[in-house]
């Protein structure tokens, strides 16, 4: 099979599995049926069965990763449509973004050090709580490994979607804005999708916090690298 034919097959297989998974998830709203969980599992199994290497697969589907950027920016539309909420709560949102960014980075790196994980994994984990396009940009400055970064981002998003409701109940968090901010800051795009399921206000706040957290992390990535690893 030539490279072009393999590229077309991989592309259509990826799209077909994803859209079928979305239909199944709408019918059976279970964690294992989520597209972020089941689609990668099916694709990995497919690659193992067909003996297609990961390098060949990702080279043929790399433009799908590029679409993450425009998809993330699309979250700005509902934010723009709800500017009144943002103006009314700009101070608390700003404080939340700064706090969430600091906690996410420090907790990830310090826990990785506690478990004596390699430095490359530490640097990749540092940006796990922001959405993939921002995480990859920040990881370049930190020296993280792109494939590990993408994996950690997906795991973080799925975990946040799975346990978010339970944590809000346990912590007695009832305000919609607080739920949206928590999901956006901790679980990026996946958390934002969950927030929109809760309500419009939760989704808007989650979108804003997700984007601001990503921008802040990319901007301060050099400082993070200096503070976390300069003395190692």
């Amino acid at each position: 099979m030539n490279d072009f034919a393999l590229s077309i097959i991989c592309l259509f297989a990826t799209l077909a599995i994803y859209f079928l998974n979305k239909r199944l998830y709408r019918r059976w709203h279970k964690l294992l049926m989520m597209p972020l969980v089941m689609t990668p599992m099916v694709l990995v199994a497919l690659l193992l069965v067909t003996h297609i290497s990961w390098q060949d697969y990702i080279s043929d589907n790399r433009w799908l990763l590029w679409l993450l950027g425009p998809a993330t920016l699309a979250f700005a539309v509902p934010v723009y449509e709800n500017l009144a909420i943002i103006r009314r709560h700009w101070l608390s949102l700003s404080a939340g973004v700064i706090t969430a960014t600091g906690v996410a980075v420090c907790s990830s790196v310090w826990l990785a050090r506690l478990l004596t994980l390699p430095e490359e994994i530490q640097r990749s984990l540092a940006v796990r709580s922001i959405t993939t396009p921002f995480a990859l940009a920040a990881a370049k400055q930190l020296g993280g490994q792109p494939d590990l970064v993408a994996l950690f981002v997906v795991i973080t998003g799925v975990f946040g979607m799975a346990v978010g409701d339970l944590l809000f109940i346990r912590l007695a968090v009832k305000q919609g804005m607080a739920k949206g901010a928590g999901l956006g800051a901790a679980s990026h795009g996946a958390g934002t999708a969950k927030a929109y399921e809760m309500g419009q206000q939760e989704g808007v706040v989650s979108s804003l916090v997700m984007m601001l957290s990503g921008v802040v992390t990319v901007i301060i990535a050099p400082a993070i690298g200096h503070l976390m690893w300069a003395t190692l």
Side-chain angles (χ1 to χ4, degrees):
M1 183 182 298
N2 59 46
D3 292 340
F4 178 75
L6 179 62
S7 175
I8 295 298
I9 291 173
C10 287
L11 172 61
F12 278 98
T14 301
L15 295 176
I17 292 170
Y18 174 74
F19 284 109
L20 176 60
N21 196 173
K22 285 190 68 175
R23 295 191 65 179
L24 292 174
Y25 183 61
R26 282 196 292 267
R27 185 170 181 179
W28 293 290
H29 216 63
K30 305 294 183 181
L31 176 62
L32 289 177
M33 299 299 293
M34 289 170 49
L36 276 175
V37 177
M38 177 169 280
T39 298
M41 292 173 58
V42 174
L43 287 173
V44 168
L46 187 62
L47 294 183
L48 291 175
V49 170
T50 57
H51 302 291
I52 298 175
S53 69
W54 164 252
Q55 290 76 15
D56 289 337
Y57 170 80
I58 197 62
S59 65
D60 294 328
N61 289 274
R62 192 168 296 279
W63 70 272
L64 291 175
L65 293 177
W66 178 85
L67 290 176
L68 285 171
T72 301
L73 291 176
F75 281 112
V77 175
V79 171
Y80 175 77
E81 294 174 347
N82 292 269
L83 286 176
I85 297 175
I86 298 168
R87 293 193 189 100
R88 191 159 59 244
H89 301 283
W90 69 270
L91 183 59
S92 57
L93 289 172
S94 300
V97 167
I98 295 172
T99 302
T101 301
V103 170
V105 172
C106 293
S107 63
S108 300
V109 175
W110 289 342
L111 181 60
R113 288 181 183 174
L114 182 64
L115 298 174
T116 64
L117 296 178
E119 184 177 320
E120 184 181 42
I121 294 181
Q122 295 178 26
R123 293 175 182 269
S124 301
L125 277 169
V127 294
R128 65 177 178 80
S129 288
I130 59 175
T131 192
T132 304
F134 291 114
L136 293 175
K140 286 183 180 179
Q141 303 179 68
L142 292 176
Q145 213 281 335
D147 290 339
L148 286 177
V149 171
L151 175 63
F152 294 147
V153 167
V154 170
I155 292 174
T156 300
V158 171
F159 184 79
M161 289 185 71
V163 306
D165 284 336
L166 179 61
L167 283 177
F168 293 143
I169 293 173
R170 292 289 185 182
L171 298 174
V173 177
K174 299 180 180 179
Q175 190 179 39
M177 285 192 59
K179 293 180 179 181
L183 288 169
S187 303
H188 46 81
T192 299
K194 180 67 175 180
Y196 273 108
E197 292 181 6
M198 296 179 175
Q200 179 69 13
Q201 185 184 65
E202 288 88 340
V204 169
V205 173
S206 182
S207 299
L208 177 66
V209 171
M210 176 190 69
M211 290 187 292
L212 289 179
S213 297
V215 171
V216 169
T217 304
V218 171
I219 292 174
I220 67 173
I224 292 173
H226 178 76
L227 292 173
M228 291 292 180
W229 291 283
T231 58
L232 292 181

